[in-house]
PDB file of all heavy atoms in Angstrom:
ATOM      1  N   ASP B 104    -127.884  65.543   8.603  1.00  0.00           N
ATOM      2  CA  ASP B 104    -128.727  66.452   7.853  1.00  0.00           C
ATOM      3  C   ASP B 104    -128.777  67.824   8.491  1.00  0.00           C
ATOM      4  O   ASP B 104    -129.800  68.274   8.947  1.00  0.00           O
ATOM      5  CB  ASP B 104    -130.135  65.866   7.799  1.00  0.00           C
ATOM      6  CG  ASP B 104    -130.907  66.407   6.625  1.00  0.00           C
ATOM      7  OD1 ASP B 104    -130.293  67.069   5.780  1.00  0.00           O
ATOM      8  OD2 ASP B 104    -132.114  66.170   6.578  1.00  0.00           O
ATOM      9  N   VAL B 105    -127.648  68.491   8.540  1.00  0.00           N
ATOM     10  CA  VAL B 105    -127.635  69.747   9.275  1.00  0.00           C
ATOM     11  C   VAL B 105    -127.732  70.962   8.371  1.00  0.00           C
ATOM     12  O   VAL B 105    -128.637  71.768   8.474  1.00  0.00           O
ATOM     13  CB  VAL B 105    -126.339  69.903  10.084  1.00  0.00           C
ATOM     14  CG1 VAL B 105    -126.663  70.460  11.429  1.00  0.00           C
ATOM     15  CG2 VAL B 105    -125.606  68.601  10.164  1.00  0.00           C
ATOM     16  N   LEU B 106    -126.743  71.059   7.525  1.00  0.00           N
ATOM     17  CA  LEU B 106    -126.634  72.273   6.717  1.00  0.00           C
ATOM     18  C   LEU B 106    -127.379  72.117   5.412  1.00  0.00           C
ATOM     19  O   LEU B 106    -127.208  72.896   4.498  1.00  0.00           O
ATOM     20  CB  LEU B 106    -125.153  72.535   6.419  1.00  0.00           C
ATOM     21  CG  LEU B 106    -124.278  72.608   7.640  1.00  0.00           C
ATOM     22  CD1 LEU B 106    -122.828  72.443   7.254  1.00  0.00           C
ATOM     23  CD2 LEU B 106    -124.485  73.936   8.319  1.00  0.00           C
ATOM     24  N   ASP B 107    -128.222  71.119   5.392  1.00  0.00           N
ATOM     25  CA  ASP B 107    -128.689  70.617   4.115  1.00  0.00           C
ATOM     26  C   ASP B 107    -129.920  71.325   3.593  1.00  0.00           C
ATOM     27  O   ASP B 107    -130.395  71.020   2.530  1.00  0.00           O
ATOM     28  CB  ASP B 107    -129.009  69.129   4.283  1.00  0.00           C
ATOM     29  CG  ASP B 107    -128.545  68.352   3.080  1.00  0.00           C
ATOM     30  OD1 ASP B 107    -127.784  68.927   2.298  1.00  0.00           O
ATOM     31  OD2 ASP B 107    -128.972  67.206   2.943  1.00  0.00           O
ATOM     32  N   THR B 108    -130.437  72.273   4.354  1.00  0.00           N
ATOM     33  CA  THR B 108    -131.794  72.716   4.081  1.00  0.00           C
ATOM     34  C   THR B 108    -131.973  73.376   2.724  1.00  0.00           C
ATOM     35  O   THR B 108    -132.918  73.084   2.022  1.00  0.00           O
ATOM     36  CB  THR B 108    -132.242  73.684   5.175  1.00  0.00           C
ATOM     37  OG1 THR B 108    -131.140  74.540   5.481  1.00  0.00           O
ATOM     38  CG2 THR B 108    -132.642  72.925   6.419  1.00  0.00           C
ATOM     39  N   ASP B 109    -131.049  74.253   2.355  1.00  0.00           N
ATOM     40  CA  ASP B 109    -131.335  75.016   1.145  1.00  0.00           C
ATOM     41  C   ASP B 109    -130.404  74.671  -0.007  1.00  0.00           C
ATOM     42  O   ASP B 109    -129.992  75.528  -0.760  1.00  0.00           O
ATOM     43  CB  ASP B 109    -131.265  76.512   1.445  1.00  0.00           C
ATOM     44  CG  ASP B 109    -129.949  76.874   2.098  1.00  0.00           C
ATOM     45  OD1 ASP B 109    -129.161  75.936   2.355  1.00  0.00           O
ATOM     46  OD2 ASP B 109    -129.706  78.043   2.334  1.00  0.00           O
ATOM     47  N   ARG B 110    -130.080  73.433  -0.115  1.00  0.00           N
ATOM     48  CA  ARG B 110    -129.228  73.045  -1.228  1.00  0.00           C
ATOM     49  C   ARG B 110    -130.049  72.975  -2.504  1.00  0.00           C
ATOM     50  O   ARG B 110    -131.216  72.600  -2.505  1.00  0.00           O
ATOM     51  CB  ARG B 110    -128.583  71.703  -0.941  1.00  0.00           C
ATOM     52  CG  ARG B 110    -127.721  71.249  -2.084  1.00  0.00           C
ATOM     53  CD  ARG B 110    -126.541  70.445  -1.627  1.00  0.00           C
ATOM     54  NE  ARG B 110    -125.738  71.155  -0.668  1.00  0.00           N
ATOM     55  CZ  ARG B 110    -125.600  70.755   0.569  1.00  0.00           C
ATOM     56  NH1 ARG B 110    -126.202  69.689   0.979  1.00  0.00           N
ATOM     57  NH2 ARG B 110    -124.851  71.429   1.386  1.00  0.00           N
ATOM     58  N   GLU B 111    -129.407  73.337  -3.598  1.00  0.00           N
ATOM     59  CA  GLU B 111    -130.137  73.332  -4.867  1.00  0.00           C
ATOM     60  C   GLU B 111    -130.411  71.913  -5.334  1.00  0.00           C
ATOM     61  O   GLU B 111    -131.529  71.550  -5.653  1.00  0.00           O
ATOM     62  CB  GLU B 111    -129.314  74.040  -5.942  1.00  0.00           C
ATOM     63  CG  GLU B 111    -129.120  75.517  -5.683  1.00  0.00           C
ATOM     64  CD  GLU B 111    -128.189  76.114  -6.701  1.00  0.00           C
ATOM     65  OE1 GLU B 111    -128.051  75.524  -7.793  1.00  0.00           O
ATOM     66  OE2 GLU B 111    -127.593  77.149  -6.405  1.00  0.00           O
ATOM     67  N   GLU B 112    -129.374  71.145  -5.372  1.00  0.00           N
ATOM     68  CA  GLU B 112    -129.542  69.796  -5.902  1.00  0.00           C
ATOM     69  C   GLU B 112    -129.366  68.791  -4.784  1.00  0.00           C
ATOM     70  O   GLU B 112    -128.412  68.862  -4.022  1.00  0.00           O
ATOM     71  CB  GLU B 112    -128.491  69.515  -6.981  1.00  0.00           C
ATOM     72  CG  GLU B 112    -128.630  70.409  -8.179  1.00  0.00           C
ATOM     73  CD  GLU B 112    -127.588  70.069  -9.207  1.00  0.00           C
ATOM     74  OE1 GLU B 112    -127.407  68.856  -9.458  1.00  0.00           O
ATOM     75  OE2 GLU B 112    -126.958  70.978  -9.741  1.00  0.00           O
ATOM     76  N   ARG B 113    -130.274  67.859  -4.735  1.00  0.00           N
ATOM     77  CA  ARG B 113    -130.153  66.847  -3.690  1.00  0.00           C
ATOM     78  C   ARG B 113    -130.311  65.476  -4.302  1.00  0.00           C
ATOM     79  O   ARG B 113    -131.224  64.731  -3.982  1.00  0.00           O
ATOM     80  CB  ARG B 113    -131.197  67.073  -2.609  1.00  0.00           C
ATOM     81  CG  ARG B 113    -131.094  68.463  -2.028  1.00  0.00           C
ATOM     82  CD  ARG B 113    -132.046  68.641  -0.897  1.00  0.00           C
ATOM     83  NE  ARG B 113    -131.970  67.532   0.048  1.00  0.00           N
ATOM     84  CZ  ARG B 113    -132.270  67.665   1.316  1.00  0.00           C
ATOM     85  NH1 ARG B 113    -132.628  68.811   1.799  1.00  0.00           N
ATOM     86  NH2 ARG B 113    -132.210  66.621   2.110  1.00  0.00           N
ATOM     87  N   GLY B 114    -129.459  65.197  -5.210  1.00  0.00           N
ATOM     88  CA  GLY B 114    -129.513  63.914  -5.885  1.00  0.00           C
ATOM     89  C   GLY B 114    -129.085  62.809  -4.950  1.00  0.00           C
ATOM     90  O   GLY B 114    -128.893  63.031  -3.765  1.00  0.00           O
ATOM     91  N   PRO B 115    -128.948  61.617  -5.482  1.00  0.00           N
ATOM     92  CA  PRO B 115    -128.538  60.484  -4.658  1.00  0.00           C
ATOM     93  C   PRO B 115    -127.170  60.725  -4.029  1.00  0.00           C
ATOM     94  O   PRO B 115    -126.854  60.149  -3.007  1.00  0.00           O
ATOM     95  CB  PRO B 115    -128.493  59.320  -5.653  1.00  0.00           C
ATOM     96  CG  PRO B 115    -128.458  59.952  -7.002  1.00  0.00           C
ATOM     97  CD  PRO B 115    -129.148  61.269  -6.868  1.00  0.00           C
ATOM     98  N   GLU B 116    -126.419  61.626  -4.638  1.00  0.00           N
ATOM     99  CA  GLU B 116    -125.111  61.886  -4.062  1.00  0.00           C
ATOM    100  C   GLU B 116    -125.167  62.990  -3.035  1.00  0.00           C
ATOM    101  O   GLU B 116    -124.153  63.579  -2.692  1.00  0.00           O
ATOM    102  CB  GLU B 116    -124.112  62.234  -5.162  1.00  0.00           C
ATOM    103  CG  GLU B 116    -124.002  61.107  -6.154  1.00  0.00           C
ATOM    104  CD  GLU B 116    -122.806  61.263  -7.071  1.00  0.00           C
ATOM    105  OE1 GLU B 116    -122.043  62.215  -6.915  1.00  0.00           O
ATOM    106  OE2 GLU B 116    -122.658  60.414  -7.943  1.00  0.00           O
ATOM    107  N   GLY B 117    -126.357  63.280  -2.605  1.00  0.00           N
ATOM    108  CA  GLY B 117    -126.701  64.203  -1.537  1.00  0.00           C
ATOM    109  C   GLY B 117    -125.554  65.030  -1.002  1.00  0.00           C
ATOM    110  O   GLY B 117    -124.790  65.587  -1.735  1.00  0.00           O
TER     111      GLY B 117
END
Side-chain angles (χ1 to χ4, degrees):
Chain B
D104 203 10
V105 222
L106 305 163
D107 221 13
T108 41
D109 53 357
R110 179 148 304 115
E111 294 174 22
E112 296 181 45
R113 304 185 48 153
E116 301 193 2

